[in-house]
């Protein structure tokens, strides 16, 4: 029996020590560093308006009024549902996907006053992998500019200047493509009043 205790004691001590370090000390240290060095990001990149949280710079919202830039379509739950993040899982030859993209192209052209032959950016008619991506391409934003400017009664040049101001470059200068965060751009438009 003493031999069994001799073997179990180091195992129990190691288990308790690792549990304390990995379940207590390490998470607390990561939390402290994040809160000190990156407080906004550590708390969800929350966006404020008039002292109230109105969203996150990381999650799209369903803007549908003509006076707002519209985000990518969403396949997350019933639409932009952060608790149901995910894509549609429809493949490129899926009839359902093809039909929905064709309908979105038609609606996008009509909504933005584009001619039937006008090229529509892919991000305007396809959902992102998470269904929550708040970014659109600069071209998508430019095609929505006239509609937004007319609905707000402001010059297109002012709206284009905001698009340029809110266009983010490639991550680290080499990763991804330039993009516009729809949530922050729409908040900036609301601040023009």
């Amino acid at each position: 029996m003493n031999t069994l205790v001799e073997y179990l004691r180091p195992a129990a001590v190691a288990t308790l020590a690792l549990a304390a370090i990995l379940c207590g000390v390490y998470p607390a240290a990561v939390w402290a560093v994040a809160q000190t060095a990156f407080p906004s990001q550590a708390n969800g990149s929350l966006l404020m308006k008039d002292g109230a949280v109105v969203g996150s710079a990381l999650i799209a919202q369903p803007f549908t009024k003509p006076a707002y830039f519209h985000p990518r379509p969403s396949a997350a739950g019933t639409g932009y549902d952060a608790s149901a993040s995910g894509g549609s899982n429809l493949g490129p030859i899926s009839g359902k996907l093809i039909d929905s993209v064709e309908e979105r192209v038609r609606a996008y052209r009509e909504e933005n006053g584009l001619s039937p032959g006008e090229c529509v950016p892919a991000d305007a008619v396809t959902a992102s992998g998470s269904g929550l991506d708040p970014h659109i391409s600069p071209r998508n934003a430019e095609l929505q500019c006239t509609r937004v400017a007319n609905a707000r009664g402001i010059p297109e040049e002012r709206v284009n200047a905001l698009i340029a101001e809110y266009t983010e470059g490639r991550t680290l200068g080499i990763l991804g493509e330039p993009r516009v965060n729809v949530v922050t751009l729409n908040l900036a438009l609301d601040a023009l009043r």
Side-chain angles (χ1 to χ4, degrees):
M1 189 64 171
N2 283 343
T3 322
L4 182 61
V5 171
E6 289 174 12
Y7 286 116
L8 290 179
R9 182 175 295 140
V13 169
T15 299
L16 292 174
L18 285 171
I21 292 169
L22 299 176
C23 298
V25 174
Y26 177 71
V30 169
W31 177 84
V33 168
Q35 290 298 323
T36 304
F38 310 103
S40 174
Q41 294 89 337
N43 292 305
S45 300
L46 300 177
L47 299 170
M48 308 290 284
K49 180 179 178 183
D50 301 326
V53 175
V54 293
S56 168
L58 304 174
I59 299 176
Q61 294 182 17
F63 294 101
T64 57
K65 293 181 180 175
Y68 290 100
F69 285 92
H70 299 173
R72 293 181 73 159
S74 176
T78 56
Y80 310 100
D81 180 1
S83 66
S85 175
S88 66
N89 292 331
L90 298 175
I93 59 171
S94 165
K96 186 176 178 181
L97 177 64
I98 292 168
D99 291 344
S100 68
V101 167
E102 286 174 351
E103 173 55 27
R104 288 174 185 161
V105 167
R106 186 204 57 72
Y108 185 87
R109 285 184 177 137
E110 181 181 315
E111 178 179 57
N112 293 295
L114 306 178
S115 66
E118 182 83 37
C119 189
V120 173
D123 66 297
V125 295
T126 58
S128 65
S130 69
L132 301 172
D133 185 3
H135 297 97
I136 60 174
S137 66
R139 180 65 181 148
N140 187 350
E142 290 165 5
L143 289 173
Q144 295 183 57
C145 178
T146 301
R147 171 182 46 82
V148 172
N150 289 341
R152 289 183 177 262
I154 57 177
E156 280 188 51
E157 296 77 27
R158 182 67 182 116
V159 177
N160 274 319
L162 275 177
I163 292 171
E165 181 180 339
Y166 283 87
T167 297
E168 304 168 14
R170 296 171 187 263
T171 304
L172 302 175
I174 58 169
L175 301 175
E177 293 295 325
R179 59 209 174 275
V180 180
N181 188 310
V182 174
V183 180
T184 57
L185 178 58
N186 284 334
L187 285 174
L189 280 167
D190 283 346
L192 288 178
R193 294 181 194 170

